[in-house]
Amino acid sequence: STTPADTSLGYTSSWTTAGNWSLNTVPDANTPVFIPVSPIGGNNPAITTAASVQNIQLNSGATLTIDTTASLSVYGTWTGGKAAKASVTGKGSVQLVATTIQHVEGRTEFQTLICNNTATQMQANSAIDIYKKLVLQEGTFTAGTFGGNNKDTVTLKATAANSYAMLQIINGTYAGFIRDECYYNVPTTANSFNQHMMGSPIDILSL
């Protein structure tokens, strides 16, 4: 039988409080998880230590926060939003750690996504935005081909607050389309000049 998803209830933001989950159990590596856009308790979940899930689905517009020293290890499929993107905020990381092929579905804004598995495959009509780093520690990350409306793509974002995101290849392989944004601050006066050196935001530690 299929294990029911442990749904975030959001009475507080604490990930490790059993009462914040529909199954009254803190998720682990064998638990499928669902994060709604508006938990009934009014609080989005926040991870402050190492946490694990099996499959995880974030509803369109849903938010998950991962603090600086924390991480979320995913052993199954990651599913983001459909009509709108789901968001992972905070300075922590999402880590794909299965020993079989993992799929990334839907649309998600990540801060740091680490692939440390056999292989990761993006599904059709998926879109990933990276705001800090996409790190390939092991395996092959296979993105789709550009499908319009930012679908089937990985985008390295550039914003005013965070100048650029990076693809870091440690001991892995990237295959497929990638979009690299460059932020340009428009001069505010006729005599203002903004000089920029633009280069590849890719750090390859092994070939």
Side-chain angles (χ1 to χ4, degrees):
S1 61
T2 302
T3 302
D6 208 0
T7 299
S8 175
L9 302 178
Y11 295 119
T12 71
S13 63
S14 173
W15 182 276
T16 56
T17 298
N20 283 328
W21 297 98
S22 62
L23 301 181
N24 201 34
T25 302
V26 177
D28 60 22
N30 299 308
T31 309
V33 165
F34 177 69
I35 309 296
V37 64
S38 298
I40 61 175
N43 294 285
N44 294 317
I47 297 174
T48 58
T49 185
S52 299
V53 296
Q54 186 195 55
N55 302 325
I56 181 168
Q57 180 180 357
L58 280 72
N59 207 352
S60 296
T63 299
L64 169 64
T65 298
I66 305 176
D67 285 353
T68 302
T69 59
S71 63
L72 176 64
S73 294
V74 180
Y75 288 82
T77 296
W78 178 283
T79 303
K82 301 299 183 183
K85 293 177 182 176
S87 297
V88 181
T89 62
K91 295 183 178 180
S93 63
V94 173
Q95 303 187 22
L96 304 176
V97 295
T99 56
T100 57
I101 292 177
Q102 288 183 268
H103 293 110
V104 177
E105 303 176 355
R107 307 171 68 189
T108 307
E109 296 176 334
F110 291 98
Q111 301 300 312
T112 299
L113 177 62
I114 300 173
C115 300
N116 189 15
N117 59 1
T118 301
T120 301
Q121 293 182 347
M122 286 183 65
Q123 296 295 87
N125 297 320
S126 298
I128 292 176
D129 289 347
I130 303 292
Y131 282 82
K132 295 188 181 302
K133 278 187 179 183
L134 172 59
V135 182
L136 306 185
Q137 287 188 332
E138 295 287 346
T140 299
F141 187 101
T142 303
T145 56
F146 179 62
N149 297 320
N150 294 328
K151 294 180 179 180
D152 303 340
T153 66
V154 173
T155 300
L156 302 178
K157 301 292 289 184
T159 67
N162 179 29
S163 59
Y164 66 90
M166 175 180 285
L167 169 63
Q168 183 178 23
I169 301 175
I170 298 174
N171 188 28
T173 303
Y174 186 95
F177 185 93
I178 192 166
R179 179 198 295 268
D180 172 27
E181 290 186 354
C182 292
Y183 176 77
Y184 178 73
N185 186 22
V186 178
T188 56
T189 68
N191 295 322
S192 296
F193 296 92
N194 285 281
Q195 296 181 352
H196 299 265
M197 182 175 69
M198 296 183 180
S200 172
I202 298 176
D203 181 14
I204 301 178
L205 302 184
S206 65
L207 298 177

